[in-house]
Every structure is written in structure tokens, then in C-alpha cells.
Amino acid sequence: MTDDITTRPWRSDDLDLLRASESLFAPQTYPQRFLARNRGLRPLHLRAVGRPTGTGRRWTGQVATDGNRILALAECSWDPADPASPRLTVNVAHDWQAGGLGRRTLRALVSRCLHMGLTTFNVDYAASNVALDSMLHSIGSETGERYALSGVTRAGIGHLTVRMAT
């Protein structure tokens, strides 16, 4: 299902594509599609507009597109003064879940982040998202990097810290 889908870095004109694609991201699918810090990411275009670049934080994104639709958005935001601050999120459109698109988009983002010198990532997620651990291990082996994972789960929300092993 992902043969004709392209992944690439976020561009400023993607905001219009994201707005047009918003209906593909059904809000009731939160546990399956979000690796996110909170449930307040809907609508996605507001998240992209409010990216934290204006607050001293840096932001980069990766999208998966099919023609004029965005099917996945992976993001990383961090404080340049705090090497342990990068936070990852990934959102996959409902009909493209469980096909590897989230992993593919997040893998491309993590690879770019590693090239930028980021080596620690934080991920908050719905604890019912059982694919998270295997997705992150898969990305680690595909990028050739080894990671140490540590995490906790409270009240149905998991927090995972992923550090590149030294």
C-alpha cells in the first residue's frame, strides 16, 4: 500500500497539503496512530503551524506523501542547549496504519536527526500502542545505530527515552 508514497523533509508549502489531508487522520484512532506527547495534536495543521521554532526550540519534520495528500507526519523538536531534549512524534493517516508507513517516515526523520548530531530522543505514547517498541528497535537496526531504551508507563501513557549506545 506504500509503493507510490514518497517520504521527504517538511517544506513550508506542506502546511496547505496537511490542511487538505486532515480528514484522513480520524481522531478516534489516537492509540493506533500517535506517538505523541499528548492528545492535543488535533488538528495536525495547528501543530505544524505552532511548531516551537519561535520559542528557542528547533523543529524538523518528515512527511509521507501520495500526490497531493500527506499520509504521515513525523516531527522532532528540541532545545539546542539540552542534548537530551529531542521529542519525537509520528502521525499516520487511518487507512495507512499497520503497513509500515509510520516506521518508514520516522526512520527517515531519525536518520536526518542523527546526521544533525542528535542522539537522544523522548517519545510519549498511548500504552495500548504495542507496536512502538518493535518500531524503535527496527529503526535502530535499519540505521545501523544501537540504542538503549528506558521507559515508564503511568495511567495509560508511556514515556520512552531512546539513547544511542556509546
Side-chain angles (χ1 to χ4, degrees):
M1 187 183 237
T2 61
D3 291 344
D4 297 330
I5 296 173
T6 303
T7 63
R8 60 168 173 73
W10 173 269
R11 301 185 310 223
S12 60
D13 60 337
D14 285 336
L15 188 55
D16 290 334
L17 286 179
L18 188 58
R19 283 185 180 114
S21 304
E22 190 72 38
S23 65
L24 302 173
F25 296 83
Q28 68 270 24
T29 64
Y30 169 80
Q32 296 83 31
R33 83 183 161 84
F34 282 105
L35 309 179
R37 82 188 79 169
N38 63 46
R39 295 173 189 238
L41 292 182
R42 286 280 301 163
L44 285 179
H45 72 272
L46 292 179
R47 171 79 178 135
V49 167
R51 63 186 182 265
T53 55
T55 61
R57 294 183 63 85
R58 296 201 51 207
W59 183 94
T60 189
Q62 186 81 16
V63 294
T65 62
D66 177 17
N68 61 354
R69 300 180 302 176
I70 289 181
L71 304 179
L73 170 63
E75 304 170 278
C76 181
S77 66
W78 69 98
D79 177 348
D82 182 359
S85 70
R87 299 194 73 77
L88 295 176
T89 66
V90 62
N91 303 276
V92 180
H94 178 69
D95 289 344
W96 285 267
Q97 293 172 15
L101 187 57
R103 180 181 54 79
R104 183 174 154 192
T105 307
L106 192 58
R107 180 186 67 218
L109 178 66
V110 167
S111 180
R112 283 195 310 112
C113 288
L114 287 170
H115 283 58
M116 293 165 43
L118 302 175
T119 58
T120 300
F121 304 97
N122 296 288
V123 181
D124 292 337
Y125 60 97
S128 60
N129 188 339
V130 295
L132 173 68
D133 188 59
S134 87
M135 179 190 295
L136 291 170
H137 280 291
S138 173
I139 289 168
S141 51
E142 289 170 7
T143 59
E145 306 294 340
R146 301 185 82 181
Y147 292 93
L149 282 73
S150 61
V152 296
T153 302
R154 289 192 189 105
I157 300 294
H159 173 80
L160 188 65
T161 297
V162 183
R163 287 184 179 85
M164 189 167 31
T166 56

